[in-house]
mmCIF file of all heavy atoms in Angstrom:
data_model
loop_
_atom_site.group_PDB
_atom_site.id
_atom_site.type_symbol
_atom_site.label_atom_id
_atom_site.label_comp_id
_atom_site.label_asym_id
_atom_site.label_seq_id
_atom_site.Cartn_x
_atom_site.Cartn_y
_atom_site.Cartn_z
ATOM 1 N N ASN A 189 56.508 89.214 42.745
ATOM 2 C CA ASN A 189 55.723 87.972 42.804
ATOM 3 C C ASN A 189 55.945 87.085 41.581
ATOM 4 O O ASN A 189 55.006 86.534 40.985
ATOM 5 C CB ASN A 189 54.238 88.306 42.935
ATOM 6 C CG ASN A 189 53.538 87.401 43.935
ATOM 7 O OD1 ASN A 189 54.137 87.004 44.921
ATOM 8 N ND2 ASN A 189 52.284 87.078 43.678
ATOM 9 N N LEU A 190 57.197 86.904 41.188
ATOM 10 C CA LEU A 190 57.545 86.126 40.004
ATOM 11 C C LEU A 190 57.577 84.621 40.308
ATOM 12 O O LEU A 190 57.846 84.219 41.444
ATOM 13 C CB LEU A 190 58.924 86.560 39.477
ATOM 14 C CG LEU A 190 59.043 87.988 38.967
ATOM 15 C CD1 LEU A 190 60.497 88.291 38.594
ATOM 16 C CD2 LEU A 190 58.122 88.228 37.783
ATOM 17 N N PRO A 191 57.311 83.779 39.317
ATOM 18 C CA PRO A 191 57.442 82.331 39.523
ATOM 19 C C PRO A 191 58.897 81.965 39.818
ATOM 20 O O PRO A 191 59.831 82.603 39.352
ATOM 21 C CB PRO A 191 56.962 81.737 38.205
ATOM 22 C CG PRO A 191 57.110 82.841 37.205
ATOM 23 C CD PRO A 191 56.886 84.109 37.957
ATOM 24 N N VAL A 192 59.059 80.897 40.600
ATOM 25 C CA VAL A 192 60.373 80.462 41.053
ATOM 26 C C VAL A 192 60.637 79.042 40.571
ATOM 27 O O VAL A 192 59.747 78.192 40.598
ATOM 28 C CB VAL A 192 60.443 80.500 42.599
ATOM 29 C CG1 VAL A 192 61.832 80.079 43.092
ATOM 30 C CG2 VAL A 192 60.077 81.880 43.116
ATOM 31 N N MET A 193 61.860 78.804 40.100
ATOM 32 C CA MET A 193 62.291 77.452 39.733
ATOM 33 C C MET A 193 63.529 77.095 40.547
ATOM 34 O O MET A 193 64.508 77.852 40.546
ATOM 35 C CB MET A 193 62.561 77.354 38.242
ATOM 36 C CG MET A 193 61.341 77.624 37.377
ATOM 37 S SD MET A 193 61.593 77.294 35.613
ATOM 38 C CE MET A 193 61.619 75.487 35.597
ATOM 39 N N VAL A 194 63.480 75.984 41.252
ATOM 40 C CA VAL A 194 64.592 75.521 42.067
ATOM 41 C C VAL A 194 65.195 74.284 41.401
ATOM 42 O O VAL A 194 64.492 73.285 41.187
ATOM 43 C CB VAL A 194 64.142 75.172 43.496
ATOM 44 C CG1 VAL A 194 65.334 74.669 44.323
ATOM 45 C CG2 VAL A 194 63.511 76.377 44.164
ATOM 46 N N TYR A 195 66.479 74.351 41.082
ATOM 47 C CA TYR A 195 67.145 73.274 40.329
ATOM 48 C C TYR A 195 68.041 72.445 41.229
ATOM 49 O O TYR A 195 68.838 72.987 42.001
ATOM 50 C CB TYR A 195 67.975 73.856 39.194
ATOM 51 C CG TYR A 195 68.589 72.791 38.310
ATOM 52 C CD1 TYR A 195 67.818 72.122 37.372
ATOM 53 C CD2 TYR A 195 69.939 72.447 38.421
ATOM 54 C CE1 TYR A 195 68.368 71.128 36.568
ATOM 55 C CE2 TYR A 195 70.501 71.468 37.623
ATOM 56 C CZ TYR A 195 69.705 70.817 36.697
ATOM 57 O OH TYR A 195 70.248 69.836 35.911
ATOM 58 N N ILE A 196 67.935 71.112 41.111
ATOM 59 C CA ILE A 196 68.802 70.181 41.834
ATOM 60 C C ILE A 196 69.738 69.513 40.823
ATOM 61 O O ILE A 196 69.265 68.863 39.887
ATOM 62 C CB ILE A 196 67.984 69.117 42.576
ATOM 63 C CG1 ILE A 196 66.974 69.786 43.519
ATOM 64 C CG2 ILE A 196 68.909 68.193 43.364
ATOM 65 C CD1 ILE A 196 66.073 68.811 44.240
ATOM 66 N N HIS A 197 71.021 69.666 41.026
ATOM 67 C CA HIS A 197 71.996 69.157 40.048
ATOM 68 C C HIS A 197 72.113 67.646 40.127
ATOM 69 O O HIS A 197 71.846 67.002 41.149
ATOM 70 C CB HIS A 197 73.353 69.819 40.244
ATOM 71 C CG HIS A 197 74.086 69.381 41.487
ATOM 72 N ND1 HIS A 197 74.776 68.176 41.567
ATOM 73 C CD2 HIS A 197 74.273 69.982 42.692
ATOM 74 C CE1 HIS A 197 75.343 68.071 42.755
ATOM 75 N NE2 HIS A 197 75.046 69.137 43.463
ATOM 76 N N GLY A 198 72.561 67.046 39.034
ATOM 77 C CA GLY A 198 72.848 65.616 38.964
ATOM 78 C C GLY A 198 74.300 65.319 39.278
ATOM 79 O O GLY A 198 75.039 66.177 39.762
ATOM 80 N N GLY A 199 74.707 64.085 38.985
ATOM 81 C CA GLY A 199 76.063 63.671 39.257
ATOM 82 C C GLY A 199 76.138 62.399 40.063
ATOM 83 O O GLY A 199 77.136 62.148 40.757
ATOM 84 N N GLY A 200 75.082 61.569 39.986
ATOM 85 C CA GLY A 200 75.115 60.283 40.667
ATOM 86 C C GLY A 200 75.177 60.375 42.173
ATOM 87 O O GLY A 200 75.645 59.441 42.829
ATOM 88 N N TYR A 201 74.737 61.485 42.740
ATOM 89 C CA TYR A 201 74.810 61.709 44.188
ATOM 90 C C TYR A 201 76.248 61.702 44.703
ATOM 91 O O TYR A 201 76.468 61.569 45.911
ATOM 92 C CB TYR A 201 73.980 60.671 44.968
ATOM 93 C CG TYR A 201 72.497 60.770 44.720
ATOM 94 C CD1 TYR A 201 71.853 59.865 43.873
ATOM 95 C CD2 TYR A 201 71.731 61.761 45.330
ATOM 96 C CE1 TYR A 201 70.486 59.945 43.656
ATOM 97 C CE2 TYR A 201 70.366 61.845 45.116
ATOM 98 C CZ TYR A 201 69.747 60.929 44.269
ATOM 99 O OH TYR A 201 68.384 61.024 44.048
ATOM 100 N N SER A 202 77.213 61.844 43.802
ATOM 101 C CA SER A 202 78.606 61.803 44.237
ATOM 102 C C SER A 202 79.434 62.959 43.699
ATOM 103 O O SER A 202 80.570 63.157 44.138
ATOM 104 C CB SER A 202 79.264 60.488 43.804
ATOM 105 O OG SER A 202 79.265 60.360 42.395
ATOM 106 N N GLU A 203 78.905 63.720 42.763
ATOM 107 C CA GLU A 203 79.658 64.850 42.213
ATOM 108 C C GLU A 203 78.686 65.886 41.681
ATOM 109 O O GLU A 203 77.471 65.685 41.647
ATOM 110 C CB GLU A 203 80.587 64.383 41.087
ATOM 111 C CG GLU A 203 79.883 63.734 39.919
ATOM 112 C CD GLU A 203 80.843 63.186 38.884
ATOM 113 O OE1 GLU A 203 81.873 62.593 39.273
ATOM 114 O OE2 GLU A 203 80.552 63.343 37.680
ATOM 115 N N GLY A 204 79.246 67.034 41.247
ATOM 116 C CA GLY A 204 78.432 68.095 40.689
ATOM 117 C C GLY A 204 78.224 69.235 41.674
ATOM 118 O O GLY A 204 78.597 69.165 42.847
ATOM 119 N N SER A 205 77.610 70.313 41.188
ATOM 120 C CA SER A 205 77.287 71.472 42.026
ATOM 121 C C SER A 205 76.258 72.316 41.286
ATOM 122 O O SER A 205 75.928 72.050 40.129
ATOM 123 C CB SER A 205 78.551 72.311 42.292
ATOM 124 O OG SER A 205 78.928 73.036 41.130
ATOM 125 N N GLY A 206 75.765 73.331 41.968
ATOM 126 C CA GLY A 206 74.795 74.226 41.366
ATOM 127 C C GLY A 206 75.438 75.434 40.714
ATOM 128 O O GLY A 206 74.764 76.443 40.468
ATOM 129 N N ASN A 207 76.732 75.380 40.426
ATOM 130 C CA ASN A 207 77.442 76.521 39.866
ATOM 131 C C ASN A 207 76.914 76.918 38.500
ATOM 132 O O ASN A 207 76.450 76.084 37.712
ATOM 133 C CB ASN A 207 78.939 76.227 39.771
ATOM 134 C CG ASN A 207 79.576 76.067 41.135
ATOM 135 O OD1 ASN A 207 78.978 76.388 42.155
ATOM 136 N ND2 ASN A 207 80.783 75.541 41.168
ATOM 137 N N SER A 208 77.051 78.199 38.173
ATOM 138 C CA SER A 208 76.480 78.722 36.937
ATOM 139 C C SER A 208 77.286 78.347 35.697
ATOM 140 O O SER A 208 76.819 78.566 34.578
ATOM 141 C CB SER A 208 76.398 80.248 37.009
ATOM 142 O OG SER A 208 77.694 80.830 37.104
ATOM 143 N N ALA A 209 78.489 77.766 35.873
ATOM 144 C CA ALA A 209 79.268 77.355 34.708
ATOM 145 C C ALA A 209 78.474 76.390 33.844
ATOM 146 O O ALA A 209 78.599 76.378 32.614
ATOM 147 C CB ALA A 209 80.571 76.712 35.153
ATOM 148 N N ILE A 210 77.626 75.559 34.479
ATOM 149 C CA ILE A 210 76.767 74.640 33.735
ATOM 150 C C ILE A 210 75.322 75.029 33.871
ATOM 151 O O ILE A 210 74.560 75.017 32.888
ATOM 152 C CB ILE A 210 76.969 73.191 34.234
ATOM 153 C CG1 ILE A 210 78.421 72.756 34.043
ATOM 154 C CG2 ILE A 210 76.036 72.232 33.513
ATOM 155 C CD1 ILE A 210 78.722 71.367 34.574
ATOM 156 N N TYR A 211 74.907 75.403 35.079
ATOM 157 C CA TYR A 211 73.480 75.656 35.349
ATOM 158 C C TYR A 211 73.229 77.147 35.562
ATOM 159 O O TYR A 211 72.818 77.581 36.630
ATOM 160 C CB TYR A 211 73.038 74.840 36.562
ATOM 161 C CG TYR A 211 73.374 73.378 36.437
ATOM 162 C CD1 TYR A 211 74.234 72.747 37.317
ATOM 163 C CD2 TYR A 211 72.826 72.623 35.403
ATOM 164 C CE1 TYR A 211 74.546 71.398 37.192
ATOM 165 C CE2 TYR A 211 73.137 71.275 35.253
ATOM 166 C CZ TYR A 211 73.995 70.675 36.159
ATOM 167 O OH TYR A 211 74.291 69.345 36.021
ATOM 168 N N GLY A 212 73.506 77.930 34.526
ATOM 169 C CA GLY A 212 73.316 79.362 34.598
ATOM 170 C C GLY A 212 71.879 79.763 34.318
ATOM 171 O O GLY A 212 71.041 78.955 33.924
ATOM 172 N N PRO A 213 71.572 81.039 34.498
ATOM 173 C CA PRO A 213 70.189 81.506 34.430
ATOM 174 C C PRO A 213 69.737 82.049 33.079
ATOM 175 O O PRO A 213 68.574 82.411 32.935
ATOM 176 C CB PRO A 213 70.186 82.639 35.447
ATOM 177 C CG PRO A 213 71.567 83.256 35.290
ATOM 178 C CD PRO A 213 72.495 82.096 34.991
ATOM 179 N N ASN A 214 70.621 82.101 32.092
ATOM 180 C CA ASN A 214 70.322 82.888 30.893
ATOM 181 C C ASN A 214 69.080 82.426 30.141
ATOM 182 O O ASN A 214 68.388 83.240 29.523
ATOM 183 C CB ASN A 214 71.537 82.861 29.950
ATOM 184 C CG ASN A 214 72.725 83.601 30.537
ATOM 185 O OD1 ASN A 214 72.558 84.472 31.380
ATOM 186 N ND2 ASN A 214 73.923 83.241 30.138
ATOM 187 N N ASN A 215 68.782 81.136 30.164
ATOM 188 C CA ASN A 215 67.621 80.647 29.409
ATOM 189 C C ASN A 215 66.309 80.820 30.155
ATOM 190 O O ASN A 215 65.229 80.555 29.578
ATOM 191 C CB ASN A 215 67.804 79.172 29.052
ATOM 192 C CG ASN A 215 68.930 78.967 28.057
ATOM 193 O OD1 ASN A 215 69.159 79.797 27.178
ATOM 194 N ND2 ASN A 215 69.644 77.854 28.188
ATOM 195 N N LEU A 216 66.366 81.223 31.409
ATOM 196 C CA LEU A 216 65.136 81.374 32.187
ATOM 197 C C LEU A 216 64.849 82.813 32.587
ATOM 198 O O LEU A 216 63.689 83.213 32.667
ATOM 199 C CB LEU A 216 65.223 80.498 33.456
ATOM 200 C CG LEU A 216 65.241 78.981 33.229
ATOM 201 C CD1 LEU A 216 65.522 78.245 34.520
ATOM 202 C CD2 LEU A 216 63.925 78.518 32.626
ATOM 203 N N ILE A 217 65.907 83.567 32.861
ATOM 204 C CA ILE A 217 65.723 84.939 33.331
ATOM 205 C C ILE A 217 64.895 85.760 32.373
ATOM 206 O O ILE A 217 64.011 86.544 32.768
ATOM 207 C CB ILE A 217 67.096 85.607 33.573
ATOM 208 C CG1 ILE A 217 67.749 85.016 34.813
ATOM 209 C CG2 ILE A 217 66.963 87.121 33.715
ATOM 210 C CD1 ILE A 217 67.025 85.299 36.101
#
C-alpha cells in the first residue's frame, strides 16, 4: 500500500519518453 507517483515527460509534445536514462527511480525509491 505504498504511495504512487506517475510522471509525464516533457518535450514540447513532440519528443521525449519515459525512459530511465533521464527519468529514473533512484531519487524516489
